[in-house]
Amino acid sequence: MADNGLILVTGAAGQLGAVGRTVTGLLLDRGLPVRAMVRREDDRAAALRAAGAEVVVGDLLDPADVSRIVSGCRRVYFGMSVSAAYLEATVTMAAVARDIGVDALVNMSQMTVSEMSIQNTTSSGQQRQHWLSEQALAWSGLPVVTIRPTMFLESFFQLAAPTVRARGRIEVPFGRGKTSPVSAADVARVVAAVLADPGPHLGRIYELTGPRSQDMHGVAREFSDALNREVTYSDIPAEDWERGIKKWGVPEHLTRHLVAMGELHRAGRYDRLADGVERVTGRPAMSVREFVSLHADEFGGRRS
C-alpha cells in the first residue's frame, strides 16, 4: 500500500516535539505529501507550510470541517490532546472516514486501554473515552491501526523539571509502582512508519514503552546519571499532588486524568514493557537517561 496518497495528520501544530508535529516532519522527510490539520493560523502553521505541508484549519468537533479536511486523503493519523470531547471527536472522524472511504486510520490511544473492560475501567474520564473510542472504531469497520503508548517522557519533563531544578527531587505520588515512559519522538517514529506503508499493519495494536520498567528510585538514578548530580525520588501524598495540579489552573478533566495516573502508577498498572517501538522502526526506544541528557538544561543543567 506504499503509494503517493495524501496523508492527513491531525494535531500537526502541537508544541515542538509533539507527536503530530513530529509525524508531519518525518513524513515530509520521506517525500510524502502531507495535509496538516491545525486549529488556527499562527507561526506554527506557517512553519508547517514552509516545510512543505498543505496546511488546513479546522475543528475536530465540526463534522463539516472534518469532511472537508479528510476529503482527498487516503491515510489519516488521528490524535487529540486530553479533552472532555475526545470521544465525540473520535466518532466524528470515524463517521467521516467511513463515508469517504480511507485506506488506513492510525488512532492514537493509551496503553491503559489494554487492561480495561466493561467491568474494569479507571477514574480517568480521558482513559474511559479512549477505551470507548477503540470500541467505536472497531464497530466502524474501518482499516484501523491502534497505537497505545504508555506515559510520555515529556509528561515526566513537565511534572519533574520544577522540583529537579529547585531541590534535586522528583516529587510524585507513585509509591513503589514501576513505570516505563516512552518519548513522543519514538511514538512519532512508529506512527510515521505505519502511515508510510500501512498495509502490513492494518488491524494491529502496537503497545509502546521505554526500554525498561522500574520504580521511581530507578528513574531518579537515571536522572542522576544524565545530570551528573544527585536526584532523588520523594513519594508525596496524593492530596499534595492534586493540590499542586490545581495550582496550574488546568481544566478539571485534565486534573482528574493526572490524579488517576498517579493512582494507577501507585497500584502498579503502569508496570508494562513492550517492544513495539523497535518492532516497527528497527530501533530501540529512548531511555530516561537519554531523554534527560537531551533536555539537561530544562532540569537545571548537567554538572561537569
Side-chain angles (χ1 to χ4, degrees):
M1 193 181 290
D3 58 30
N4 292 321
L6 190 59
I7 303 172
L8 173 65
V9 176
T10 66
Q15 297 299 319
L16 187 63
V19 173
R21 186 168 174 178
T22 305
V23 166
T24 300
L26 290 171
L27 292 174
L28 291 172
D29 287 345
R30 290 173 179 252
L32 296 169
V34 179
R35 178 176 291 168
M37 182 178 181
V38 302
R39 293 195 64 183
R40 65 184 65 87
E41 282 287 355
D42 57 17
D43 291 344
R44 291 174 298 178
L48 289 167
R49 193 173 285 112
E54 175 193 339
V55 177
V56 291
V57 178
D59 182 353
L60 285 170
L61 299 178
D62 184 329
D65 264 10
V66 177
S67 181
R68 169 178 57 83
I69 289 164
V70 175
S71 181
C73 295
R74 305 310 308 159
R75 289 163 275 179
V76 174
Y77 164 68
F78 175 75
M80 185 181 182
S81 57
V82 174
S83 168
Y86 193 94
L87 179 58
E88 180 183 351
T90 304
V91 175
T92 299
M93 176 60 75
V96 168
R98 182 174 177 175
D99 180 65
I100 289 174
V102 302
D103 294 332
L105 190 152
V106 180
N107 174 49
M108 180 59 65
S109 187
Q110 292 189 0
M111 185 171 283
T112 44
V113 173
S114 306
E115 300 175 323
M116 293 172 70
S117 66
I118 293 171
Q119 289 80 23
N120 182 29
T121 60
T122 80
S123 60
S124 164
Q126 182 68 26
Q127 290 171 344
R128 291 197 299 271
Q129 287 192 68
H130 275 287
W131 181 78
L132 287 168
S133 292
E134 285 198 24
Q135 308 308 304
L137 287 170
W139 301 333
S140 74
L142 286 164
V144 175
V145 183
T146 301
I147 309 296
R148 290 180 180 168
T150 186
M151 185 178 187
F152 283 106
L153 279 165
E154 285 74 10
S155 298
F156 264 115
F157 166 85
Q158 295 173 352
L159 301 175
T163 56
V164 169
R165 283 196 304 266
R167 296 184 287 279
R169 290 204 303 265
I170 302 171
E171 299 178 356
V172 290
F174 291 1
R176 296 291 300 186
K178 293 183 177 181
T179 190
S180 53
V182 67
S183 75
D186 285 330
V187 175
R189 289 196 297 113
V190 170
V191 172
V194 171
L195 286 168
D197 185 14
H201 307 284
L202 295 180
R204 294 186 179 274
I205 296 171
Y206 291 110
E207 298 186 340
L208 311 181
T209 72
R212 65 180 58 87
S213 184
Q214 59 190 330
D215 66 19
M216 290 303 299
H217 294 290
V219 171
R221 285 192 292 273
E222 292 210 48
F223 269 74
S224 299
D225 290 344
L227 300 175
N228 199 32
R229 57 186 170 85
E230 186 179 25
V231 176
T232 59
Y233 166 50
S234 178
D235 180 26
I236 64 174
E239 297 78 14
D240 292 352
W241 165 255
E242 183 171 359
R243 196 176 302 115
I245 293 170
K246 288 181 175 178
K247 286 181 180 178
W248 301 343
V250 301
E252 179 63 19
H253 179 78
L254 177 55
T255 297
R256 296 311 311 160
H257 176 58
L258 292 172
V259 169
M261 285 178 63
E263 295 168 349
L264 293 172
H265 268 94
R266 197 173 194 90
R269 292 277 292 275
Y270 278 81
D271 182 10
R272 305 290 299 278
L273 201 58
D275 65 351
V277 172
E278 187 165 10
R279 191 146 47 95
V280 175
T281 69
R283 288 166 46 195
M286 185 183 303
S287 69
V288 173
R289 178 177 178 175
E290 290 169 323
F291 178 84
V292 176
S293 294
L294 286 173
H295 301 278
D297 289 347
E298 305 297 333
F299 294 103
R302 176 180 171 83
R303 186 171 296 164
S304 60

